[in-house]
Amino acid sequence: MKLESDYRRDVVKMLAPLAAFPVENMTDTGNGDICCGLGWSEMKRGVVPKTDRGRVIVDVRQDQRDWHRRWRSTNARSWTLTIIEPKPKLETWLLHDGAWSAEHLG
């Protein structure tokens, strides 16, 4: 299983044409992991439970929900980018609008 930092590095590389860079911010909790020309992205892992293959669990903390709501209230863009684990045959990523994520994930 890859570490979150490995996924972040891969995504930053893919988004390089959009001036992407990783963010580690210890002073403002809840803000995104990657910033680029499209806005902020919070990286998450979605876990498929062994007993119920139809529902993916994505942990979004309350401070992350609040941050997405605050950020989106200014008409700025934010996203939640989730990789599904354990990986199916094809690597699966889900990209959700941050305002939607704040209401529906977690």
XYZ file of all heavy atoms in Angstrom:
860
model
N 0.840 -1.173 0.000
C 0.000 0.000 0.000
C 0.889 1.242 0.000
O 1.814 1.358 0.785
C -0.898 -0.010 1.237
C -1.837 1.150 1.255
S -2.950 1.337 2.693
C -3.284 -0.283 3.259
N 0.585 2.166 -0.881
C 1.345 3.401 -0.946
C 1.032 4.288 0.256
O -0.077 4.270 0.782
C 0.964 4.187 -2.204
C 1.645 3.770 -3.457
C 1.259 4.728 -4.562
C 2.043 4.510 -5.801
N 1.671 5.454 -6.850
N 1.973 5.109 0.615
C 1.767 6.101 1.661
C 1.050 7.308 1.067
O 1.123 7.564 -0.144
C 3.100 6.550 2.245
C 3.946 5.485 2.934
C 5.302 6.060 3.301
C 3.226 4.971 4.168
N 0.386 8.089 1.914
C -0.294 9.297 1.435
C 0.683 10.238 0.746
O 0.358 10.847 -0.268
C -0.975 10.015 2.597
C -1.763 11.224 2.133
C -2.457 11.941 3.269
O -2.744 11.320 4.294
O -2.708 13.144 3.106
N 1.896 10.335 1.266
C 2.893 11.223 0.657
C 3.244 10.762 -0.760
O 3.518 11.591 -1.634
C 4.150 11.304 1.524
O 4.716 10.028 1.703
N 3.225 9.446 -1.017
C 3.489 8.935 -2.364
C 2.373 9.348 -3.321
O 2.625 9.772 -4.450
C 3.605 7.411 -2.366
C 4.807 6.919 -1.579
O 5.830 7.636 -1.541
O 4.711 5.825 -0.994
N 1.119 9.201 -2.865
C -0.011 9.622 -3.694
C 0.057 11.115 -3.977
O -0.154 11.564 -5.096
C -1.340 9.303 -3.010
C -1.703 7.844 -3.012
C -2.005 7.180 -1.832
C -1.756 7.123 -4.200
C -2.343 5.837 -1.829
C -2.087 5.785 -4.207
C -2.386 5.146 -3.021
O -2.714 3.829 -3.022
N 0.348 11.888 -2.949
C 0.426 13.347 -3.111
C 1.485 13.712 -4.138
O 1.254 14.530 -5.016
C 0.722 14.000 -1.764
C 0.674 15.517 -1.830
C 0.975 16.176 -0.501
N 0.110 15.657 0.536
C 0.552 15.246 1.733
N 1.820 15.282 2.041
N -0.293 14.796 2.629
N 2.649 13.073 -4.038
C 3.732 13.346 -4.990
C 3.293 13.010 -6.420
O 3.528 13.769 -7.352
C 4.986 12.549 -4.610
C 6.184 12.866 -5.478
C 7.398 12.021 -5.139
N 7.109 10.604 -5.318
C 7.103 9.696 -4.321
N 7.390 10.050 -3.095
N 6.831 8.431 -4.570
N 2.601 11.860 -6.594
C 2.129 11.456 -7.919
C 1.130 12.463 -8.486
O 1.184 12.821 -9.660
C 1.471 10.077 -7.865
C 2.451 8.953 -7.554
O 3.682 9.196 -7.608
O 1.978 7.843 -7.242
N 0.197 12.917 -7.637
C -0.824 13.867 -8.098
C -0.196 15.216 -8.440
O -0.533 15.824 -9.455
C -1.950 14.018 -7.048
C -2.891 15.151 -7.422
C -2.726 12.713 -6.916
N 0.728 15.679 -7.617
C 1.413 16.940 -7.902
C 2.133 16.844 -9.243
O 2.101 17.778 -10.050
C 2.384 17.321 -6.762
C 3.327 18.442 -7.180
C 1.600 17.724 -5.527
N 2.746 15.700 -9.503
C 3.436 15.489 -10.784
C 2.449 15.547 -11.959
O 2.704 16.186 -12.976
C 4.139 14.127 -10.763
C 5.458 14.107 -11.500
C 6.090 12.733 -11.488
C 6.672 12.402 -10.133
N 7.409 11.133 -10.122
N 1.284 14.882 -11.782
C 0.275 14.882 -12.847
C -0.285 16.279 -13.099
O -0.626 16.635 -14.225
C -0.879 13.940 -12.497
C -0.535 12.481 -12.613
S -1.971 11.422 -12.343
C -2.011 11.331 -10.567
N -0.388 17.073 -12.038
C -0.966 18.417 -12.157
C 0.092 19.498 -12.370
O -0.215 20.689 -12.287
C -1.792 18.741 -10.908
C -3.033 17.891 -10.680
C -3.699 18.273 -9.369
C -4.003 18.016 -11.842
N 1.311 19.105 -12.660
C 2.405 20.066 -12.857
C 2.068 21.167 -13.867
O 2.402 22.332 -13.638
C 3.687 19.341 -13.254
N 1.372 20.862 -14.989
C 1.028 21.930 -15.922
C 0.104 22.996 -15.313
O -0.041 24.092 -15.865
C 0.312 21.206 -17.066
C 0.801 19.794 -16.994
C 1.025 19.541 -15.537
N -0.511 22.695 -14.172
C -1.396 23.643 -13.493
C -0.721 24.277 -12.276
O -1.377 24.789 -11.377
C -2.685 22.936 -13.046
C -3.505 22.345 -14.185
C -4.628 21.492 -13.637
C -4.043 23.444 -15.083
N 0.612 24.224 -12.255
C 1.422 24.833 -11.195
C 1.087 24.261 -9.817
O 1.028 24.980 -8.822
C 1.272 26.354 -11.198
N 0.881 22.954 -9.738
C 0.513 22.302 -8.481
C 1.690 22.239 -7.522
O 2.841 22.094 -7.928
C 0.008 20.886 -8.761
N 1.365 22.347 -6.226
C 2.373 22.154 -5.197
C 1.705 21.574 -3.947
O 0.541 21.853 -3.672
C 3.116 23.456 -4.871
C 2.229 24.574 -4.403
C 1.999 24.791 -3.049
C 1.630 25.429 -5.322
C 1.189 25.825 -2.616
C 0.813 26.463 -4.904
C 0.593 26.673 -3.540
N 2.447 20.723 -3.200
C 1.886 20.135 -1.972
C 1.918 21.158 -0.840
O 2.767 22.048 -0.822
C 2.820 18.965 -1.686
C 4.117 19.385 -2.270
C 3.782 20.233 -3.484
N 0.990 21.001 0.094
C 0.906 21.924 1.223
C 0.850 21.123 2.521
O 0.026 20.211 2.647
C -0.352 22.823 1.114
C -0.481 23.721 2.331
C -0.327 23.623 -0.165
N 1.719 21.448 3.437
C 1.675 20.905 4.799
C 1.494 22.107 5.706
O 2.405 22.887 5.911
C 2.975 20.172 5.146
C 3.148 18.857 4.448
C 2.143 17.805 4.910
O 1.666 17.875 6.060
O 1.836 16.921 4.110
N 0.289 22.275 6.238
C -0.015 23.455 7.027
C -0.428 23.044 8.432
O -1.515 22.510 8.626
C -1.128 24.259 6.350
C -1.372 25.583 7.021
O -0.935 25.823 8.131
N -2.080 26.451 6.332
N 0.407 23.287 9.397
C 0.110 22.911 10.776
C -0.650 24.008 11.524
O -1.096 23.804 12.638
C 1.407 22.595 11.531
C 2.162 21.440 10.930
S 1.137 19.974 10.929
C 2.278 18.764 10.376
N -0.781 25.196 10.933
C -1.433 26.297 11.643
C -2.915 26.434 11.313
O -3.674 26.950 12.105
C -0.744 27.640 11.325
O -0.820 27.878 9.924
C 0.700 27.610 11.784
N -3.337 25.985 10.139
C -4.741 26.092 9.739
C -5.255 24.690 9.456
O -5.043 24.146 8.386
C -4.887 26.978 8.497
C -6.336 27.179 8.085
O -7.238 26.919 8.918
O -6.568 27.587 6.936
N -5.947 24.089 10.411
C -6.399 22.716 10.237
C -7.521 22.641 9.221
O -8.323 23.558 9.089
C -6.896 22.115 11.569
O -7.983 22.899 12.046
C -5.783 22.084 12.593
N -7.534 21.551 8.483
C -8.615 21.293 7.547
C -8.348 21.717 6.122
O -9.054 21.292 5.222
N -7.334 22.568 5.880
C -7.129 23.008 4.503
C -6.569 21.889 3.643
O -6.108 20.873 4.142
C -6.244 24.260 4.434
C -4.811 23.997 4.780
O -4.523 23.517 5.865
N -3.923 24.291 3.870
N -6.626 22.067 2.321
C -6.273 21.027 1.370
C -4.813 20.609 1.400
O -3.969 21.274 1.989
N -4.543 19.492 0.716
C -3.193 18.925 0.649
C -2.407 19.414 -0.557
O -1.194 19.373 -0.564
C -3.276 17.390 0.574
C -3.875 16.788 1.831
O -3.454 17.169 2.926
O -4.760 15.937 1.696
N -3.136 19.823 -1.614
C -2.493 20.253 -2.857
C -3.187 21.516 -3.346
O -4.415 21.614 -3.324
C -2.603 19.166 -3.943
C -1.857 17.907 -3.502
C -2.070 19.667 -5.281
C -2.064 16.722 -4.427
N -2.391 22.462 -3.797
C -2.946 23.669 -4.398
C -2.466 23.732 -5.841
O -1.326 23.410 -6.143
C -2.479 24.906 -3.628
S -3.288 26.418 -4.197
N -3.359 24.123 -6.755
C -2.987 24.294 -8.159
C -3.908 25.338 -8.778
O -4.761 25.903 -8.098
C -3.070 22.970 -8.920
S -4.741 22.402 -9.264
N -3.749 25.572 -10.064
C -4.542 26.569 -10.760
C -6.040 26.302 -10.746
O -6.836 27.213 -10.971
N -6.454 25.080 -10.433
C -7.885 24.750 -10.358
C -8.454 24.919 -8.959
O -9.653 24.767 -8.755
C -8.122 23.306 -10.816
C -7.800 23.009 -12.274
C -8.000 21.532 -12.555
C -8.667 23.851 -13.187
N -7.596 25.165 -7.964
C -8.051 25.306 -6.586
C -7.325 24.342 -5.675
O -6.268 23.817 -6.010
N -7.911 24.113 -4.497
C -7.336 23.229 -3.485
C -7.929 21.829 -3.599
O -9.120 21.691 -3.849
C -7.655 23.753 -2.095
C -6.881 24.962 -1.710
C -7.224 26.257 -1.986
C -5.672 25.008 -0.977
N -6.289 27.096 -1.459
C -5.326 26.357 -0.837
C -4.863 24.028 -0.429
C -4.180 26.757 -0.158
C -3.727 24.432 0.249
C -3.405 25.786 0.376
N -7.103 20.823 -3.347
C -7.575 19.437 -3.311
C -7.171 18.794 -2.001
O -6.017 18.890 -1.585
C -6.988 18.617 -4.459
O -7.486 19.064 -5.681
N -8.138 18.148 -1.372
C -7.885 17.342 -0.174
C -7.777 15.901 -0.633
O -8.673 15.389 -1.308
C -9.050 17.500 0.813
C -8.945 16.628 2.024
C -7.797 17.011 2.942
O -7.443 18.195 3.028
O -7.251 16.085 3.579
N -6.679 15.239 -0.300
C -6.491 13.847 -0.704
C -7.019 12.918 0.372
O -6.765 13.124 1.551
C -5.020 13.577 -0.980
C -4.520 14.456 -2.096
S -3.228 13.774 -3.103
C -3.577 12.091 -3.246
N -7.748 11.882 -0.060
C -8.345 10.922 0.853
C -8.170 9.512 0.332
O -7.980 9.306 -0.865
C -9.854 11.188 1.008
C -10.164 12.454 1.758
C -9.762 12.272 3.179
C -9.999 13.461 4.042
N -9.444 13.252 5.364
N -8.275 8.560 1.255
C -8.338 7.146 0.891
C -9.749 6.677 1.151
O -10.287 6.890 2.231
C -7.389 6.329 1.749
C -5.964 6.458 1.330
C -5.148 5.397 2.029
N -3.819 5.415 1.474
C -2.721 5.395 2.192
N -2.792 5.333 3.497
N -1.555 5.405 1.609
N -10.341 6.027 0.175
C -11.649 5.414 0.355
C -11.452 3.933 0.589
O -10.730 3.269 -0.159
N -12.059 3.410 1.621
C -11.878 2.008 1.983
C -13.159 1.239 1.688
O -14.247 1.635 2.107
C -11.514 1.869 3.477
C -11.339 0.414 3.855
C -10.258 2.654 3.775
N -13.013 0.159 0.946
C -14.136 -0.734 0.658
C -14.193 -1.760 1.776
O -13.265 -2.547 1.950
C -13.958 -1.434 -0.703
C -15.101 -2.392 -0.964
C -13.830 -0.415 -1.823
N -15.270 -1.764 2.577
C -15.362 -2.757 3.657
C -15.450 -4.166 3.114
O -16.013 -4.396 2.044
C -16.658 -2.389 4.382
C -17.074 -1.082 3.844
C -16.400 -0.883 2.531
N -14.901 -5.113 3.846
C -14.922 -6.511 3.400
C -16.325 -7.094 3.414
O -16.651 -7.963 2.629
C -13.999 -7.335 4.293
C -12.546 -6.974 4.096
C -11.651 -7.761 5.006
C -10.221 -7.358 4.685
N -9.373 -7.301 5.794
N -17.179 -6.609 4.311
C -18.522 -7.183 4.447
C -19.547 -6.541 3.521
O -20.554 -7.134 3.212
C -19.024 -7.040 5.892
O -19.006 -5.648 6.239
C -18.143 -7.829 6.842
N -19.314 -5.319 3.081
C -20.286 -4.614 2.251
C -19.562 -3.933 1.094
O -19.130 -2.803 1.200
C -21.045 -3.580 3.088
C -22.081 -2.826 2.274
O -22.339 -3.204 1.117
O -22.622 -1.853 2.804
N -19.433 -4.618 -0.009
C -18.641 -4.103 -1.134
C -19.308 -2.935 -1.842
O -18.723 -2.311 -2.699
C -18.374 -5.223 -2.143
C -17.723 -6.416 -1.536
C -16.298 -6.651 -1.714
N -15.603 -6.103 -2.806
C -14.349 -5.683 -2.702
N -13.748 -5.724 -1.567
N -13.722 -5.224 -3.743
N -20.548 -2.609 -1.488
C -21.253 -1.540 -2.179
C -21.047 -0.157 -1.598
O -21.453 0.815 -2.182
N -20.393 -0.031 -0.444
C -20.273 1.276 0.188
C -18.810 1.567 0.530
O -18.186 0.846 1.288
C -21.116 1.315 1.445
C -21.130 2.655 2.062
C -22.128 2.728 3.166
N -22.252 4.127 3.513
C -23.301 4.663 4.027
N -24.349 3.922 4.280
N -23.336 5.935 4.309
N -18.301 2.643 -0.012
C -16.925 3.054 0.236
C -16.927 4.047 1.395
O -17.749 4.960 1.439
C -16.313 3.714 -1.022
C -14.937 4.269 -0.731
C -16.264 2.714 -2.168
N -16.016 3.858 2.339
C -15.914 4.738 3.495
C -14.788 5.741 3.255
O -13.656 5.354 2.976
C -15.636 3.930 4.771
C -16.794 2.960 5.014
C -15.426 4.857 5.957
C -16.502 1.920 6.071
N -15.120 7.033 3.345
C -14.142 8.107 3.199
C -14.210 8.952 4.469
O -15.265 9.484 4.800
C -14.435 8.994 1.973
C -13.395 10.095 1.847
C -14.490 8.158 0.702
N -13.099 9.040 5.182
C -13.067 9.786 6.433
C -12.783 11.259 6.152
O -11.686 11.612 5.732
C -11.997 9.200 7.361
C -11.911 9.945 8.675
O -12.962 10.405 9.159
O -10.793 10.075 9.214
N -13.780 12.107 6.369
C -13.612 13.554 6.257
C -13.876 14.130 7.644
O -14.969 13.991 8.179
C -14.575 14.160 5.217
C -14.397 15.670 5.143
C -14.358 13.526 3.851
N -12.857 14.752 8.216
C -12.988 15.313 9.559
C -13.863 16.574 9.550
O -14.013 17.230 8.516
C -11.611 15.668 10.127
C -10.684 14.479 10.284
C -9.375 14.877 10.968
N -8.861 16.178 10.592
C -7.913 16.388 9.688
N -7.358 15.372 9.043
N -7.490 17.606 9.422
N -14.394 16.924 10.706
C -15.245 18.113 10.815
C -14.489 19.383 10.424
O -15.035 20.252 9.755
C -15.818 18.253 12.233
C -16.839 19.378 12.354
C -18.040 19.180 11.452
O -18.622 18.109 11.406
N -18.407 20.216 10.709
N -13.216 19.499 10.818
C -12.462 20.703 10.455
C -12.265 20.790 8.935
O -12.234 21.883 8.368
C -11.129 20.798 11.204
C -10.176 19.652 10.937
O -10.629 18.574 10.488
O -8.967 19.820 11.193
N -12.182 19.643 8.246
C -12.069 19.649 6.790
C -13.399 20.060 6.145
O -13.414 20.812 5.175
C -11.624 18.276 6.287
C -10.209 17.956 6.717
C -9.835 16.514 6.481
O -10.671 15.610 6.569
N -8.560 16.272 6.205
N -14.509 19.589 6.708
C -15.828 20.006 6.219
C -15.985 21.520 6.351
O -16.411 22.196 5.421
C -16.936 19.343 7.030
C -17.066 17.877 6.869
C -18.134 17.376 7.858
N -18.095 15.959 7.992
C -18.558 15.115 7.081
N -19.120 15.564 5.997
N -18.464 13.827 7.266
N -15.631 22.017 7.547
C -15.744 23.461 7.800
C -14.877 24.252 6.836
O -15.287 25.293 6.324
C -15.346 23.783 9.247
C -16.302 23.187 10.261
O -17.437 22.810 9.888
O -15.903 23.085 11.444
N -13.654 23.772 6.582
C -12.747 24.470 5.678
C -13.329 24.524 4.270
O -13.326 25.576 3.635
C -11.374 23.780 5.675
C -10.396 24.532 4.830
C -9.593 25.551 5.230
C -10.170 24.362 3.425
N -8.873 26.020 4.164
C -9.210 25.312 3.047
C -10.690 23.509 2.465
C -8.746 25.423 1.742
C -10.226 23.623 1.160
C -9.266 24.565 0.809
N -13.834 23.379 3.769
C -14.442 23.370 2.434
C -15.609 24.358 2.363
O -15.746 25.101 1.391
C -14.955 21.967 2.068
C -13.907 21.062 1.515
N -13.269 21.294 0.321
C -13.398 19.904 1.993
C -12.410 20.320 0.074
N -12.463 19.462 1.086
N -16.451 24.357 3.374
C -17.593 25.285 3.377
C -17.125 26.738 3.359
O -17.651 27.551 2.608
C -18.470 25.040 4.605
C -19.263 23.771 4.511
C -20.169 23.611 5.735
N -20.809 22.320 5.701
C -20.618 21.349 6.584
N -19.803 21.534 7.609
N -21.240 20.207 6.467
N -16.145 27.075 4.198
C -15.618 28.444 4.240
C -15.003 28.834 2.900
O -15.247 29.919 2.368
C -14.537 28.529 5.339
C -14.857 29.418 6.459
C -13.749 29.619 7.496
N -12.460 29.031 7.290
C -12.034 27.903 7.868
N -12.816 27.210 8.669
N -10.819 27.465 7.653
N -14.184 27.950 2.366
C -13.482 28.226 1.115
C -14.478 28.419 -0.030
O -14.385 29.346 -0.808
C -12.513 27.087 0.827
C -11.543 27.381 -0.272
C -11.549 26.853 -1.518
C -10.439 28.278 -0.226
N -10.522 27.348 -2.260
C -9.811 28.239 -1.485
C -9.916 29.114 0.754
C -8.696 28.997 -1.789
C -8.792 29.860 0.445
C -8.199 29.795 -0.803
N -15.468 27.529 -0.125
C -16.437 27.591 -1.203
C -17.392 28.775 -1.047
O -17.948 29.258 -2.017
C -17.215 26.282 -1.292
C -16.363 25.080 -1.698
C -15.577 25.320 -2.980
N -16.407 25.657 -4.093
C -16.925 24.808 -4.958
N -16.671 23.539 -4.835
N -17.679 25.230 -5.946
N -17.580 29.265 0.186
C -18.465 30.415 0.390
C -17.911 31.675 -0.261
O -18.643 32.638 -0.481
C -18.706 30.649 1.880
O -17.554 31.187 2.500
N -16.624 31.678 -0.602
C -16.009 32.820 -1.281
C -15.997 32.631 -2.800
O -15.370 33.408 -3.507
C -14.566 33.028 -0.795
O -13.764 31.922 -1.245
C -14.487 33.158 0.704
N -16.651 31.564 -3.271
C -16.677 31.180 -4.692
C -15.334 30.651 -5.194
O -15.110 30.575 -6.398
C -17.173 32.316 -5.591
C -18.639 32.579 -5.376
O -19.420 31.654 -5.151
N -19.019 33.846 -5.406
N -14.432 30.309 -4.271
C -13.173 29.671 -4.645
C -13.431 28.174 -4.829
O -14.432 27.650 -4.371
C -12.116 29.907 -3.564
N -12.541 27.491 -5.515
C -12.735 26.074 -5.844
C -11.974 25.185 -4.865
O -10.839 25.470 -4.495
C -12.238 25.782 -7.260
C -12.863 26.637 -8.334
C -14.336 26.434 -8.482
N -14.599 25.126 -9.046
C -15.806 24.577 -9.114
N -16.846 25.215 -8.669
N -15.971 23.392 -9.629
N -12.615 24.083 -4.493
C -11.945 23.044 -3.711
C -12.519 21.692 -4.112
O -13.639 21.609 -4.623
C -12.110 23.278 -2.204
O -13.442 23.073 -1.795
N -11.712 20.662 -3.864
C -12.053 19.315 -4.305
C -11.639 18.310 -3.246
O -10.766 18.591 -2.441
C -11.316 18.974 -5.602
C -11.391 20.045 -6.618
C -10.496 21.067 -6.802
C -12.413 20.251 -7.574
N -10.920 21.881 -7.818
C -12.105 21.399 -8.320
C -13.588 19.566 -7.883
C -12.898 21.879 -9.328
C -14.381 20.046 -8.904
C -14.043 21.179 -9.612
N -12.221 17.139 -3.307
C -11.738 15.992 -2.548
C -11.376 14.928 -3.571
O -12.211 14.537 -4.384
C -12.819 15.447 -1.584
O -13.180 16.486 -0.688
C -12.291 14.278 -0.792
N -10.114 14.509 -3.558
C -9.612 13.495 -4.481
C -9.359 12.228 -3.675
O -8.527 12.215 -2.768
C -8.328 13.973 -5.151
C -7.676 13.021 -6.138
C -8.626 12.704 -7.296
C -6.378 13.618 -6.666
N -10.111 11.171 -3.988
C -10.071 9.936 -3.198
C -9.587 8.772 -4.041
O -10.081 8.561 -5.143
C -11.488 9.599 -2.668
O -11.994 10.727 -1.962
C -11.458 8.388 -1.762
N -8.615 8.029 -3.512
C -8.214 6.776 -4.145
C -8.880 5.647 -3.375
O -8.964 5.688 -2.156
C -6.686 6.581 -4.192
C -6.370 5.307 -4.954
C -6.074 6.594 -2.808
C -5.067 5.267 -5.644
N -9.388 4.655 -4.110
C -10.104 3.540 -3.502
C -9.121 2.420 -3.164
O -8.319 2.015 -3.999
C -11.198 2.998 -4.452
C -12.145 4.127 -4.869
C -11.951 1.852 -3.806
C -12.829 4.824 -3.732
N -9.210 1.926 -1.922
C -8.388 0.802 -1.478
C -9.265 -0.215 -0.773
O -10.231 0.168 -0.122
C -7.296 1.292 -0.527
C -6.278 2.146 -1.247
C -5.147 2.569 -0.331
O -5.292 2.481 0.901
O -4.125 2.998 -0.848
N -9.003 -1.503 -0.807
C -7.949 -2.071 -1.641
C -8.279 -1.851 -3.109
O -9.444 -1.789 -3.488
C -7.954 -3.551 -1.273
C -9.300 -3.808 -0.712
C -9.781 -2.516 -0.126
N -7.244 -1.731 -3.883
C -7.429 -1.393 -5.297
C -8.147 -2.498 -6.048
O -7.790 -3.659 -5.941
C -6.084 -1.144 -5.960
C -5.407 0.098 -5.486
C -4.105 0.279 -6.209
C -3.312 1.396 -5.574
N -1.970 1.465 -6.061
N -9.167 -2.099 -6.829
C -9.741 -3.070 -7.766
C -8.741 -3.310 -8.896
O -7.617 -2.817 -8.847
C -11.004 -2.373 -8.263
C -10.875 -0.946 -7.880
C -9.819 -0.826 -6.829
N -9.146 -4.057 -9.911
C -8.221 -4.364 -11.014
C -7.648 -3.100 -11.637
O -6.489 -3.048 -11.988
C -8.927 -5.201 -12.074
C -9.219 -6.600 -11.596
C -9.889 -7.413 -12.659
C -10.219 -8.785 -12.097
N -10.893 -9.623 -13.051
N -8.476 -2.079 -11.773
C -8.013 -0.791 -12.281
C -7.970 0.199 -11.127
O -8.891 0.247 -10.321
C -8.959 -0.259 -13.360
C -9.034 -1.067 -14.651
C -10.121 -0.509 -15.554
C -7.698 -1.061 -15.364
N -6.895 0.984 -11.053
C -6.812 1.992 -10.001
C -7.989 2.957 -10.151
O -8.273 3.439 -11.233
C -5.488 2.742 -10.119
C -5.180 3.585 -8.926
C -3.756 4.079 -8.944
O -3.467 5.003 -9.725
O -2.939 3.535 -8.192
N -8.679 3.202 -9.053
C -9.889 4.020 -9.089
C -9.719 5.263 -8.240
O -9.385 5.170 -7.053
C -11.101 3.211 -8.570
O -11.244 2.035 -9.367
C -12.373 4.022 -8.638
N -9.965 6.433 -8.844
C -9.923 7.718 -8.161
C -11.292 8.368 -8.294
O -11.934 8.261 -9.342
C -8.888 8.641 -8.808
C -7.468 8.216 -8.643
C -6.803 7.276 -9.384
C -6.537 8.710 -7.698
N -5.510 7.168 -8.951
C -5.318 8.044 -7.922
C -6.602 9.671 -6.689
C -4.191 8.300 -7.160
C -5.472 9.920 -5.932
C -4.274 9.240 -6.171
N -11.716 9.055 -7.256
C -12.965 9.809 -7.291
C -12.641 11.274 -7.005
O -11.940 11.584 -6.050
C -13.945 9.293 -6.238
C -14.298 7.815 -6.299
C -15.138 7.431 -5.083
C -15.026 7.488 -7.588
N -13.172 12.170 -7.827
C -12.988 13.601 -7.627
C -14.347 14.212 -7.321
O -15.269 14.127 -8.137
C -12.373 14.247 -8.871
C -12.114 15.748 -8.781
C -11.056 16.048 -7.726
C -11.695 16.288 -10.141
N -14.471 14.788 -6.127
C -15.730 15.405 -5.722
C -15.526 16.892 -5.450
O -14.493 17.292 -4.909
C -16.270 14.763 -4.437
C -16.689 13.352 -4.611
N -15.947 12.296 -4.133
C -17.765 12.815 -5.214
C -16.553 11.163 -4.436
N -17.655 11.448 -5.096
N -16.525 17.666 -5.792
C -16.551 19.077 -5.459
C -16.472 19.223 -3.928
O -17.110 18.460 -3.188
C -17.862 19.666 -6.000
C -18.024 21.102 -5.629
O -17.439 21.951 -6.314
O -18.719 21.367 -4.624
N -15.712 20.194 -3.449
C -15.506 20.356 -2.013
C -16.780 20.627 -1.233
O -16.961 20.106 -0.131
N -17.678 21.446 -1.787
C -18.935 21.720 -1.088
C -19.764 20.448 -0.970
O -20.370 20.182 0.070
C -19.704 22.816 -1.814
N -19.781 19.633 -2.027
C -20.508 18.361 -1.990
C -19.871 17.433 -0.960
O -20.554 16.805 -0.168
C -20.507 17.735 -3.374
C -21.346 16.491 -3.444
C -22.658 16.417 -3.782
C -20.927 15.154 -3.148
N -23.086 15.114 -3.720
C -22.036 14.319 -3.330
C -19.721 14.588 -2.755
C -21.984 12.943 -3.125
C -19.666 13.222 -2.537
C -20.787 12.408 -2.735
N -18.542 17.379 -0.950
C -17.812 16.532 -0.005
C -18.153 16.895 1.439
O -18.329 16.017 2.279
C -16.307 16.672 -0.195
O -15.916 16.286 -1.478
N -18.232 18.192 1.709
C -18.508 18.649 3.074
C -19.865 18.154 3.569
O -20.040 17.922 4.756
C -18.455 20.172 3.140
N -20.791 17.966 2.648
C -22.135 17.535 3.025
C -22.331 16.018 2.983
O -23.161 15.482 3.710
C -23.173 18.186 2.101
C -23.187 19.690 2.163
C -23.420 20.235 3.563
O -24.269 19.672 4.297
O -22.753 21.222 3.936
N -21.581 15.321 2.121
C -21.914 13.922 1.851
C -20.848 12.881 2.195
O -21.174 11.701 2.256
C -22.291 13.762 0.368
C -23.461 14.586 -0.009
N -24.746 14.249 0.329
C -23.550 15.755 -0.691
C -25.584 15.159 -0.133
N -24.865 16.086 -0.752
N -19.599 13.270 2.362
C -18.556 12.293 2.665
C -18.305 12.210 4.156
O -18.477 13.189 4.877
C -17.263 12.616 1.929
C -17.276 12.502 0.413
C -15.907 12.834 -0.155
C -17.721 11.123 -0.039
N -17.843 11.064 4.604
C -17.404 10.910 5.984
C -18.407 10.246 6.886
O -19.519 10.013 6.665
